[in-house]
Amino acid sequence: MPAHRFSHPLRALLFVLLLGLGASNVAWAAPDGAAADSSPQTRIEQASRAVAAVKRAVTDADAPETLKTLAERASQAQREAEASVAALQPELTQLDARIEQLGPAPEGGEDSGIARQRKLLDQQRSQIDADIKRGKLLAEEAKQANEAIEKMRAQQFGEQMGRKVASPLSPALWREFGEHVPDDLARFQSLYRQAHDALLKAAGKQGWGMPLLGAALALLMLFPLRIWLRHLGRRYAASERAPDGRLRRTGLAVWLLLVGTLLPGLAATVLVASLRAIDAIAPRLESVADMFVVATFVAAFIGAVAASLLVPSRPTWRLLDIDDVAAARLRRFAWGAASLTWLTMLLRDVNRAARTSAVGTVTLDGLIALTYVVLIMSMLATLAGLHRRRAAEAAQAEAESTNSGRSPRAPRSGWLIVARLGGYLSIFAALVATLLGYLNFAMFTAQQMVWGTVIVLATTLLTRFADDFALWLLAPDSAAGRMLRLSTGLSSNRLEQAGVLLSATSRLALVMLGITAFVAPFGNVSALYGWLERLSAGIKIGGNLLTPASIISAVLVLVLGLALMRVVQRWLVDTYLPKTDLDIGARNSISTVAHYLGIVLAGLWALAALGIGFEKVALLASALSVGIGFGLQAITQNFVSGLILLAERPVKIGDWIKIGDQEGDIRRISVRSTEIQVGDRSTLIVPNSELITKTIRNMTMANALGRIQVQFSVPLGTDMGKLRTLLLGIYAANETVLIDPAPSFFIDSISGGQVAVNSFAYVSSSRSVYGTRSEVLFALLEQTAAAGIALVTPTDIHLVRDPPQA
């Protein structure tokens, strides 16, 4: 029975840590480090050799690690070919432009110099066109090779998960295991002798100084330094210098996670490096030494995640909503899972180095799978106890609330139900698979259960920390927030919105990283994120190549242009325009036009940074003109009307106008609408097209004066001279009535024993007409009554007929 090999899921931790640095690409590109600086043709040639090597090697590859390496090489060759094609495309465009400038060759012949230049350009174009076609074909071949390798890996993974061996309950398995025990022990003893001899030989040559120094440094980092850094983080979090709010707890948890993961892993790295410095590691134990470092990092990560989230000794700093009993038990189980993971990874690599029998490996995997099942069952039992205690607390709270008349608070234990259900399903699958002999599947299921739980907890912690840190960093009352508000003039709401966007972006990146870590054991992660690499190379839209760098530069240019526009507009409004003789309406028109002109210029500047020229913008505008004419007709009409209002100024800010049955002051004119404040202090928003296409009465356009008209009638025998003097005196006594133009007094008509009087006076503003007229009429009634002058109204005669007699 062949010994099975598949990557432990927890190896994905280091891969995820190196993913952001592009380690998967650098590892393959190291031998061809100069490829990035060579010509595109050279890179195509190197990618061609790489694809050919992958095709030759894939026929003999059977190990999952080898297939993974070949898939990464094929992906890298595809990226190199696509990048070379993208680099050659501008050269081909330039050659086409030069050939087009020469024009077609004349029939009667042309100058020999021009003919040689035409021939040279045609040769260069043919060569570059051939290189581009070759690069595209090579990229397609690399893509197909990568897909074929991924199919092979998926098939191997399925076969490995479905491989059946003897059940651990079968006596035949243990009988066979007992028969191979002496040989396996002999192999272990041989491996031990190699390690012992290599260590003694290296120490005999170079002494014990380097290994002892490495061991001392490892112990120093593992115990005093780690403990001191944990204490330092707790002391800072409890001090007044730490930020307020949830960031204290999440920041401390992330600090404990970093310290608990890095210090043990670095200690193992230092210890192995000290042994390698004197060549004290046997060749067959090189992979075991590397696995020792990886296993230490992984086990430390599992323990640090549990320690940072559970915190059994400090309930107030605990991030998970569990009680002290469950926290203490889960902490012990977490350390048990970390220890089991470390031991599993190391033992399996030692087995491979010692070349033990297949039955020994199978038996070891069965025991490990059963141990994982027992560990998970213990964790589920703890969660079940927590759920029962919460249910009891909820029942007690419901009873107390019923007695007191208050509504009970529903317990929040949904995550407990989901966790228990997933755990029970995993235990059942792993246990049944182990008993039936599907040990690979049982091992994978148990390990993925542990690894998935760790990834979910770590992602939850990091997303909480990212959320708290972003909101604290861009809070209006924080130091960074105050500095940004003072330097950029952003409002508190805008700053909080920026914090929310930063938090959402960080959360998305961390969730993607968690998904990567979880799916890493299933296949090639570089294939999962291949679309990101292609996106970084650029997306061709039309004749333009949009890259993330160009998009970021365009956004920065747009922000800079809008900021400059605001500075110029503020200078116009606050500094320059108040020094001119323009009225407030003209100043508003100039500042509004400058505002929208600045927005247009900033947009064109951003499009130019994006690689889109003005001619393409004009072409796009002409293409959209038909749609704008039909779909956005009203908006376009209002926009053009707004420009006409700002330019011709038939109405301006401060004018008193009457439109329809509404009248009021113009407060603001924009390119879409105009705001009018009517008499009841409400705001009337009128589309600009209404002010252009309809009749409007502007009572303050040519002259701001307002006219008062007073009409009344007196009996025929009234002394009109005395009445004229009285009314003009009332006008003169009123402070709002102007002397120039002077008030006037007219006899409008004489009929029916009455004299009709019509009088006019002027005030400084049309807005004062109504109030001044009321004051004048009030004084007129008082003084005519005191002077004995009767005010009469025309006689209204109604003829009433009696109804006819019956």
Side-chain angles (χ1 to χ4, degrees):
M1 183 176 1
H4 63 282
R5 298 177 63 190
F6 60 94
S7 298
H8 195 286
L10 299 182
R11 292 184 188 219
L13 175 64
L14 291 186
F15 178 81
V16 171
L17 294 177
L18 296 176
L19 182 64
L21 302 177
S24 59
N25 297 336
V26 175
W28 176 76
D32 301 323
D37 301 330
S38 58
S39 63
Q41 291 83 358
T42 305
R43 295 167 63 185
I44 290 177
E45 184 64 30
Q46 292 173 350
S48 177
R49 291 196 298 267
V51 172
V54 168
K55 288 182 178 180
R56 288 192 303 268
V58 75
T59 56
D60 300 328
D62 55 353
E65 292 82 1
T66 306
L67 290 177
K68 180 179 179 181
T69 303
L70 293 177
E72 291 175 353
R73 290 185 178 182
S75 300
Q76 180 67 18
Q78 179 184 355
R79 290 190 294 268
E80 288 291 333
E82 292 175 348
S84 301
V85 170
L88 288 174
Q89 197 66 45
E91 298 183 15
L92 183 63
T93 305
Q94 292 177 1
L95 287 175
D96 288 338
R98 293 173 64 183
I99 293 173
E100 186 179 358
Q101 288 180 353
L102 291 178
E107 297 180 357
E110 59 182 348
D111 184 70
S112 59
I114 297 178
R116 285 195 302 271
Q117 186 177 6
R118 185 188 302 276
K119 182 179 180 180
L120 180 61
L121 291 176
D122 289 338
Q123 292 177 352
Q124 292 178 355
R125 189 193 184 284
S126 299
Q127 182 62 40
I128 292 179
D129 185 61
D131 292 334
I132 290 177
K133 292 179 180 178
R134 183 188 177 194
K136 291 181 179 179
L137 180 61
L138 181 62
E140 185 63 27
E141 291 180 358
K143 180 181 178 182
Q144 293 176 359
N146 190 14
E147 291 176 353
I149 294 173
E150 289 300 325
K151 289 181 181 178
M152 292 178 60
R153 294 186 65 195
Q155 184 178 0
Q156 281 190 2
F157 184 78
E159 292 175 354
Q160 202 170 19
M161 293 295 103
R163 185 178 300 164
K164 183 178 180 181
V165 296
S167 172
L169 300 179
S170 173
L173 175 65
W174 296 103
R175 188 182 309 113
E176 187 180 0
F177 173 74
E179 293 174 356
H180 287 82
V181 165
D183 295 336
D184 291 341
L185 289 177
R187 292 187 178 96
F188 279 121
Q189 289 175 359
S190 175
L191 185 66
Y192 172 75
R193 283 194 301 269
Q194 291 182 22
H196 183 266
D197 294 342
L199 179 60
L200 292 181
K201 182 179 179 181
K205 280 185 178 182
Q206 303 186 26
W208 291 93
M210 186 61 68
L212 292 177
L213 178 61
L217 290 177
L219 291 175
L220 180 65
M221 287 189 290
L222 191 59
F223 292 106
L225 183 59
R226 184 175 63 90
I227 295 173
W228 178 75
L229 289 176
R230 289 167 59 90
H231 175 70
L232 183 66
R234 292 193 183 100
R235 187 173 61 181
Y236 176 77
S239 65
E240 296 181 355
R241 295 178 298 169
D244 296 330
R246 297 186 309 176
L247 187 57
R248 285 175 178 261
R249 294 195 302 168
T250 55
L252 176 61
V254 170
W255 173 256
L256 296 179
L257 176 62
L258 291 176
V259 172
T261 302
L262 295 179
L263 268 297
L266 292 178
T269 305
V270 169
L271 182 60
V272 172
S274 66
L275 294 176
R276 279 183 173 153
I278 61 173
D279 295 330
I281 301 177
R284 288 178 61 183
L285 290 175
E286 286 289 340
S287 62
V288 177
D290 294 335
M291 183 53 64
F292 172 73
V293 175
V294 174
T296 305
F297 268 111
V298 172
F301 177 71
I302 296 175
V305 168
S308 58
L309 288 174
L310 297 175
V311 197
S313 58
R314 293 177 175 83
T316 56
W317 293 92
R318 189 177 304 145
L319 294 177
L320 293 182
D321 188 16
I322 57 178
D323 54 18
D324 296 342
V325 177
R329 292 179 180 176
L330 290 177
R331 174 71 179 276
R332 290 195 295 269
F333 293 144
W335 281 114
S339 303
L340 181 60
T341 300
W342 184 86
L343 188 63
T344 301
M345 297 176 68
L346 206 58
L347 283 179
R348 298 186 67 186
D349 214 84
V350 170
N351 265 349
R352 286 193 289 266
R355 300 184 180 95
T356 57
S357 62
V359 66
T361 305
V362 168
T363 306
L364 176 64
D365 289 343
L367 292 176
I368 291 174
L370 290 175
T371 308
Y372 270 115
V373 168
V374 172
L375 182 64
I376 297 174
M377 289 179 63
S378 303
M379 292 183 180
L380 292 177
T382 301
L383 294 179
L386 175 62
H387 186 70
R388 287 193 299 269
R389 289 192 296 272
R390 284 196 169 183
E393 292 175 359
Q396 182 179 359
E398 184 177 1
E400 293 178 356
S401 62
T402 304
N403 295 332
S404 60
R406 294 177 299 178
S407 58
R409 182 181 178 183
R412 299 172 57 186
S413 57
W415 68 273
L416 286 176
I417 299 175
V418 174
R420 291 175 62 191
L421 179 61
Y424 288 142
L425 292 177
S426 300
I427 285 178
F428 179 77
L431 190 59
V432 172
T434 302
L435 297 178
L436 293 179
Y438 295 98
L439 297 183
N440 287 346
F441 179 78
M443 174 72 74
F444 183 80
T445 302
Q447 289 177 340
Q448 280 300 108
M449 180 63 189
V450 175
W451 180 240
T453 303
V454 172
I455 290 301
V456 169
L457 293 177
T459 305
T460 302
L461 170 60
L462 294 178
T463 51
R464 286 187 182 182
F465 170 74
D467 188 21
D468 297 340
F469 181 76
L471 296 180
W472 168 80
L473 181 66
L474 297 179
D477 54 348
S478 65
R482 287 193 297 268
M483 182 183 67
L484 287 175
R485 284 195 295 116
L486 292 176
S487 58
T488 61
L490 292 175
S491 62
S492 299
N493 293 334
R494 294 291 178 85
L495 205 59
E496 291 178 350
Q497 292 173 9
V500 172
L501 291 178
L502 179 60
S503 170
T505 306
S506 305
R507 282 171 170 263
L508 180 61
L510 291 171
V511 169
M512 293 298 296
L513 192 63
I515 294 174
T516 303
F518 184 76
V519 303
F522 295 95
N524 188 7
V525 182
S526 61
L528 179 63
Y529 287 93
W531 63 275
L532 286 177
E533 298 174 354
R534 295 185 181 90
L535 182 62
S536 63
I539 300 176
K540 192 171 184 180
I541 300 178
N544 300 307
L545 184 65
L546 299 182
T547 62
S550 62
I551 294 175
I552 293 174
S553 63
V555 172
L556 293 177
V557 164
L558 180 62
V559 172
L560 179 61
L562 294 177
L564 291 176
M565 177 269 300
R566 291 187 61 183
V567 171
V568 172
Q569 186 186 20
R570 187 175 299 176
W571 175 78
L572 282 173
V573 174
D574 298 338
T575 306
Y576 177 73
L577 292 178
K579 302 297 190 298
T580 63
D581 296 333
L582 301 175
D583 56 19
I584 188 172
R587 283 183 280 174
N588 174 76
S589 300
I590 294 174
S591 64
T592 304
V593 171
H595 173 74
Y596 289 102
L597 182 61
I599 292 177
V600 172
L601 293 178
L604 294 177
W605 190 14
L607 291 176
L610 201 58
I612 301 177
F614 295 157
E615 67 280 358
K616 297 181 180 179
V617 176
L619 184 62
L620 179 63
S622 62
L624 293 177
S625 59
V626 178
I628 291 175
F630 287 99
L632 304 177
Q633 183 177 5
I635 296 177
T636 306
Q637 183 180 8
N638 289 325
F639 180 79
V640 175
S641 300
L643 296 179
I644 294 174
L645 289 177
L646 294 174
E648 295 185 357
R649 301 176 66 210
V651 293
K652 59 184 182 296
I653 292 180
D655 282 354
W656 180 275
I657 67 170
K658 183 174 183 181
I659 176 170
D661 57 347
Q662 299 287 340
E663 62 179 83
D665 291 314
I666 295 180
R667 295 302 186 191
R668 183 175 178 270
I669 300 176
S670 65
V671 293
R672 190 194 67 84
S673 61
T674 299
E675 297 179 4
I676 302 174
Q677 186 178 19
V678 295
D680 60 355
R681 297 299 178 181
S682 61
T683 301
L684 182 68
I685 300 177
V686 181
N688 289 332
S689 58
E690 297 288 323
L691 301 178
I692 295 296
T693 58
K694 291 187 177 181
T695 302
I696 298 174
R697 182 182 179 186
N698 191 338
M699 291 178 282
T700 58
M701 180 177 179
N703 194 343
L705 301 181
R707 191 183 70 165
I708 298 174
Q709 182 179 13
V710 177
Q711 292 178 303
F712 59 93
S713 298
V714 294
L716 187 60
T718 303
D719 186 352
M720 299 304 298
K722 182 178 179 181
L723 179 61
R724 180 175 182 274
T725 303
L726 184 144
L727 183 56
L728 294 179
I730 292 174
Y731 285 141
N734 196 302
E735 297 180 353
T736 58
V737 176
L738 299 178
I739 300 176
D740 186 20
S744 57
F745 182 91
F746 300 100
I747 295 177
D748 191 54
S749 63
I750 302 174
S751 63
Q754 298 178 358
V755 179
V757 177
N758 196 359
S759 176
F760 299 96
Y762 295 89
V763 291
S764 59
S765 173
S766 299
R767 301 170 183 84
S768 305
V769 170
Y770 192 82
T772 305
R773 184 170 177 272
S774 174
E775 294 176 359
V776 169
L777 291 176
F778 191 85
L780 178 65
L781 292 174
E782 285 186 344
Q783 295 190 24
T784 52
I789 300 175
L791 300 181
V792 297
T793 56
T795 304
D796 190 7
I797 301 175
H798 296 271
L799 299 178
V800 180
R801 296 182 180 180
D802 295 335
Q805 297 293 331

